[in-house]
Each structure stands twice: as C-alpha cells, then as structure tokens.
Amino acid sequence: MKKDKKETVLYRMPAEFSKHKGTIMIWPVRPGSWPNGGVMAKKVFTEIARHIARHEILYMVVSKDYEKEAREQLYLAENEADYKLINSNIELVIADTNDAWARDTSPIFVKKLDDKGKLNGEVRGVNFSFNAWGGEYDGLYVHWEEDDKLAINLCDSLGYDYFDYAPFVLEGGSIHTDGKGTLIATESCLLSPGRNPKLNKKDIEDVLKDALGIKKIIWIPYGIYNDETNEHVDNVCAFTSEANVVLAWTDDETDPQYAMSKADLDVLEKETDCDGLPIKVHKLLIPKNPVTIKEEDLEGYEFEEGEDERELGERLAASYANFYIANGIALVPQFGDDNDAKAIALLQELMPEREVIGIYARDIIVGGGNIHCITMQIPE
C-alpha cells in the first residue's frame, strides 16, 4: 500500500551489515545478459541463494515460465545436507522482470525510528523509477517496463507498505549507507544526464535525505573503470562497519583505475560520518589481471535491437568491493586471480564476526554486474 511521503522523516535506510529478515534475488534468463541460456549464471545464483538461505529467507523472483526450472535447481534433494533448512528458507515469488539485477530494481527498504532515534520499528519499501541505467540517453537495454514495476509488485507480494518517489530515478547499487544516516555515492553515477537531468546536486541530495532518512552524503568522484552503470558506488566503496569502508584499489599507476581510486581516496580521507567520526579507508585491491570478454562468451549472447552489446577483449568491471553481507556471512567475488585470497583475508579481518566465503563470480560479471548487484536485503 502506498503511503504519504511526509512520513519518511520517521524512517531510515539500515546498513547492510545490520540484521536481515531476508534477501531478494531474481532468476537470470535475459539472453542479452547471460550467455548460453544463462546455464552457468544459474549455477552461481543457486550457490549464492543456498548460502544465504542457511541464514535467512531467500526470496527468488521468477517468471511463471521459469518457475519449474528455478524450483528444480534451487531446492535440494532430501538426502542432501541442510536440505530442510535451505528448502524451508527459499521462497519463490512469481513476477515478470526484464533482467536479474535485484539490487537496482527491488524496493529499497527503510525502517522506522523509535523516540530515541534507533531503528526499532516497522519496515517499509521505497519505490524509485528504474530506466536501465540511463534511459534513452545511455541505458543498457530498450525495454525496462517490468523492471520499473518490480519494486511496487514486490512490496505488494511480500506485504510491505511503501513510499513512492517515482519518477526520481535511483538504483540500489548507486548508494551505500552506514545505517546512521551517512550515505556514499559517486558523482559519475548520480549526476549522470541519463537519470535525473532536470535536478542539480542539491536537488538530488534533498530527495535522498527525504526518502531514505539520510543526514549526510559523501560524494566521491568515480567508481570502477568501464563500469557501464555510470560507476555505481557498490563496485568501488562499501561500509563494513560504522566509519569503516573498503575502497577498490590498485598500486599500478598505469592502470586507469589508479587515478579514479586515488581521487576517491583523497575525498574519503578528509571526510567524517554523520556523527563526526573520521572515515577509515581500507584499500581492497582489484584483480591483478583484468577480467575480459572472451570469444566463447560472445558466441553465447543474443542481443536485441538497441541493447548494449559486448565486444571481444572488453574489460569488465571486476571488483572485490561488490560483496554481499547476509546474516553471519559475507559473500565475496573471486576471479581465479592472485588477489582473490588477499580480498578474503582483508574482509575477514574487517568483519571477524562473519564467515567470509568466496564465490567464483566470472559467470556473473559477464552479465554486467557482480554479487552485490544481484542481491537486495530486507531488514528485520
């Protein structure tokens, strides 16, 4: 049920590291995103879904046409370990979508503040417009109607009231918050002309503060090199706890990522959170060897007219910063690279209360995203 936006002053977006009720994912089927019918992507999505379902409810959004396929792959046989726990925690939600980027098309959830300013109240969704990361200006596919409707459809299906901020365009991957009221975003993304071209920076800040209960916004210049989302923040910088962030980094000054990350670092090292605590930055190396599109990848895509197409040798936006935090665990992308283990070690050090689990993620990033991009949390 749609609610009056004036009430949002009583609500705030929690941090991802706070307690969850569940996680939303979408079954990957779009032929222009997932090569070879998404066979490999579906295996990785299933692996991720099962990890999450050991700790919280996993809502898998799937169209009616693929319900049988998703059920057969997601649910464990009765003789397999953890089958009762996992099967009971995976719920299929029947809804049409254009693609599988749950982070960007699901509702962003906020939680009501109590009289002491703590997040102890009910959970509601927030609906924003989605236009495939740029609409007619530089969007990545032509038809996004079902994705744009998904946030409201999910709120209705899962029983959440929501605040409606459409037609303001915002994707969940373009923001990161600490749950206290501090939000980090990239200028390259939120100020891009394909999203809200009639609004200036101050206008955008006002909407974010009003819709998500934000008190302070930290703008960093850039995201990850060649990130086709106009450089979402969730691929370059993420909170691991209050006043602690990881920043995607390379020591190779000849890599185009170096100047971008250095510019972000220069901002973050001078910043404080909304309570005045200095932001502590932890450098999280990107893969040593660039991850690129191979010939066998290209042979598996089926692009529709007007859709952004892949090119042989294209550098993909591979980053370990695109991890996902669920209850008790953190799922971290892995690429078969020398820096894989270093990423896990750093994140385990920063989140000692969680089990940090590596997930081979190349079969996700060939679709244009990563682990964080395909998951959206619902607070407890």
Side-chain angles (χ1 to χ4, degrees), residues 105-322:
T105 58
S106 299
I108 295 175
F109 289 93
V110 293
K111 195 167 182 177
K112 194 170 185 178
L113 298 164
D114 63 19
D115 55 6
K116 296 181 180 179
K118 302 296 184 182
L119 294 169
N120 289 325
E122 69 168 331
V123 174
R124 289 185 183 176
V126 183
N127 174 59
F128 296 98
S129 285
F130 175 79
N131 69 354
W133 309 278
E136 295 181 2
Y137 180 80
D138 61 353
L140 299 181
Y141 45 78
V142 177
H143 301 291
W144 58 79
E145 297 86 359
E146 300 300 336
D147 282 349
D148 188 36
K149 293 187 290 187
L150 182 63
I152 291 177
N153 287 344
L154 282 177
C155 285
D156 290 341
S157 296
L158 300 179
Y160 289 97
D161 291 335
Y162 64 90
F163 302 110
D164 192 358
Y165 275 79
F168 186 86
V169 175
L170 185 78
E171 308 97 34
S174 68
I175 56 174
H176 229 289
T177 181
D178 63 354
K180 298 193 301 179
T182 314
L183 182 145
I184 302 178
T186 63
E187 294 175 333
S188 55
C189 176
L190 292 196
L191 303 184
S192 63
R195 285 175 172 78
N196 301 291
K198 295 182 180 180
L199 302 184
N200 60 32
K201 194 173 187 178
K202 173 66 164 53
D203 295 332
I204 292 170
E205 285 194 348
D206 288 344
V207 175
L208 294 176
K209 289 177 178 179
D210 186 64
L212 304 176
I214 300 303
K215 295 188 283 187
K216 178 174 182 176
I217 297 172
I218 299 173
W219 293 90
I220 57 176
Y222 305 111
I224 288 291
Y225 174 73
N226 220 28
D227 185 343
E228 58 196 356
T229 64
N230 302 112
E231 300 166 23
H232 270 183
V233 73
D234 71 347
N235 218 15
V236 72
C237 183
F239 283 101
T240 56
S241 60
E242 292 183 4
N244 281 276
V245 300
V246 291
L247 175 67
W249 185 262
T250 177
D251 291 319
D252 181 1
E253 297 186 14
T254 66
D255 190 302
Q257 186 60 46
Y258 179 82
M260 298 168 74
S261 292
K262 180 63 167 61
D264 293 340
L265 180 66
D266 289 345
V267 172
L268 290 167
E269 287 189 327
K270 298 173 184 175
E271 277 289 358
T272 63
D273 69 11
C274 62
D275 290 338
L277 296 174
I279 298 292
K280 187 171 183 180
V281 182
H282 307 270
K283 294 178 180 177
L284 183 63
L285 293 174
I286 61 173
K288 184 176 180 180
N289 300 302
V291 181
T292 61
I293 288 290
K294 299 178 181 179
E295 190 169 344
E296 56 264 36
D297 300 320
L298 282 182
E299 292 171 354
Y301 290 109
E302 296 177 27
F303 299 108
E304 66 176 17
E305 185 177 352
E307 184 173 4
D308 188 61
E309 298 188 13
R310 300 290 181 197
E311 297 179 1
L312 184 63
E314 176 184 342
R315 176 166 165 171
L316 299 170
S319 166
Y320 302 107
N322 207 282

